[in-house]
Amino acid sequence: MTELSFECTGVRADRRAAAPTLLFRLRLTTADPADRVHAVALRCQIRIEPARRDYRPDEAEALADLFGDRSRWSSTLHPLQFAQVSHVVPGFTGTTEIELPVPCSYDLDVAAGRYFHALADGEVPLLLLFSGTVFAGAGGFRVHPVPWHKEAQVRMPVTVWQEMIETHFPGCGWLRLPRTTLDALLAYRSRHALPSWQQAVEALLAAAGDDPPPPPPSARHARPFPGTAARPLAERTAP
């Protein structure tokens, strides 16, 4: 049996992906440097471990719908499921490094999405749990599973998540609505010849007597997250 160890050496946002994607840099090492691995059919479950970091008062307030009042966090701050992905690792001898792509959702109805959205700075403690199948052997090959106890920890900077979201949805957020509500909003937008969803919502807020929202970051030529360039809002990305 070929013994493998796993280490996560970093996380970055994939700027060229068609949808929000994180790339986890993994190092796989065999116990015997001479062991030949033909391939690994790898599965990885990623969990957020919220109890392994501190939170500012504004972050704690934003997390109240997930974990309740801060006084209850000793019993409610449980791990959150983030992602589960599969990847085929090419053959190697001794050690290799790969980037594991993890598609992400900005849906705030998903617990992980709400958690990331609530954080202003710092790092996100993540636990990577590995399983899968190893194909190894010098002459021919043998097949055996990746033991369930194989895991790795990594602390992902919050700015990595912010950069990824800002690259794909600059200055925007997502709001999921029932189809009937969306149809009614579309009909309202058509009746009033409003060119975008943003203007439709602003018109409804104005009719309700609420103050209009501030202009989006791109209109103020701002760069809301470090390392991200502001892009003008278009109908494709505007909320």
Side-chain angles (χ1 to χ4, degrees):
M1 180 171 175
T2 300
E3 182 72 18
L4 283 177
S5 62
F6 296 83
E7 181 184 3
C8 184
T9 59
V11 191
R12 68 181 180 90
D14 187 352
R15 288 176 169 266
R16 296 180 175 83
T21 302
L22 292 174
L23 296 174
F24 286 74
R25 188 74 178 177
L26 300 182
R27 180 181 295 130
L28 286 69
T29 305
T30 60
D32 183 349
D35 275 353
R36 172 64 180 167
V37 176
H38 299 292
V40 182
L42 186 64
R43 293 188 297 273
C44 181
Q45 180 184 150
I46 304 175
R47 293 179 184 172
I48 302 168
E49 297 195 306
R52 290 175 47 214
R53 62 158 282 166
D54 296 326
Y55 299 91
R56 300 178 351 186
D58 56 332
E59 294 174 333
E61 183 179 354
L63 290 168
D65 63 333
L66 284 178
F67 305 121
D69 186 78
R70 196 162 195 163
S71 61
R72 300 175 51 215
W73 281 14
S74 60
S75 60
T76 62
L77 216 61
H78 300 305
L80 299 174
Q81 178 75 7
F82 175 32
Q84 187 159 339
V85 295
S86 300
H87 189 75
V88 176
V89 180
F92 66 95
T93 299
T95 186
T96 188
E97 291 195 4
I98 64 165
E99 285 192 315
L100 179 69
V102 177
C104 301
S105 170
Y106 193 35
D107 187 346
L108 296 184
D109 286 341
V110 177
R114 293 206 303 276
Y115 178 83
F116 286 122
H117 184 73
L119 302 183
D121 55 23
E123 296 176 325
V124 181
L126 299 174
L127 178 65
L128 286 67
L129 304 170
F130 300 104
S131 60
T133 306
V134 180
F135 302 87
F141 66 88
R142 56 186 181 272
V143 179
H144 60 82
V146 175
W148 283 89
H149 67 273
K150 295 297 181 178
E151 61 184 43
Q153 294 182 352
V154 64
R155 301 186 72 89
M156 180 183 75
V158 173
T159 53
V160 171
W161 175 269
Q162 294 171 339
E163 174 191 346
M164 177 188 69
I165 295 302
E166 189 66 17
T167 296
H168 291 275
F169 310 116
C172 300
W174 285 103
L175 180 64
R176 186 168 65 177
L177 298 173
R179 185 169 298 170
T180 52
T181 303
L182 189 61
D183 289 343
L185 186 58
L186 179 60
Y188 174 86
R189 174 180 167 180
S190 298
R191 285 197 307 271
H192 293 82
L194 298 170
S196 70
W197 292 110
Q198 177 180 341
Q199 289 179 308
V201 173
E202 288 177 350
L204 288 170
L205 290 174
D210 293 338
D211 294 332
S218 58
R220 299 194 302 267
H221 305 287
R223 296 176 65 181
F225 300 126
T228 60
R231 299 190 305 183
L233 290 181
E235 183 63 22
R236 185 178 69 85
T237 56

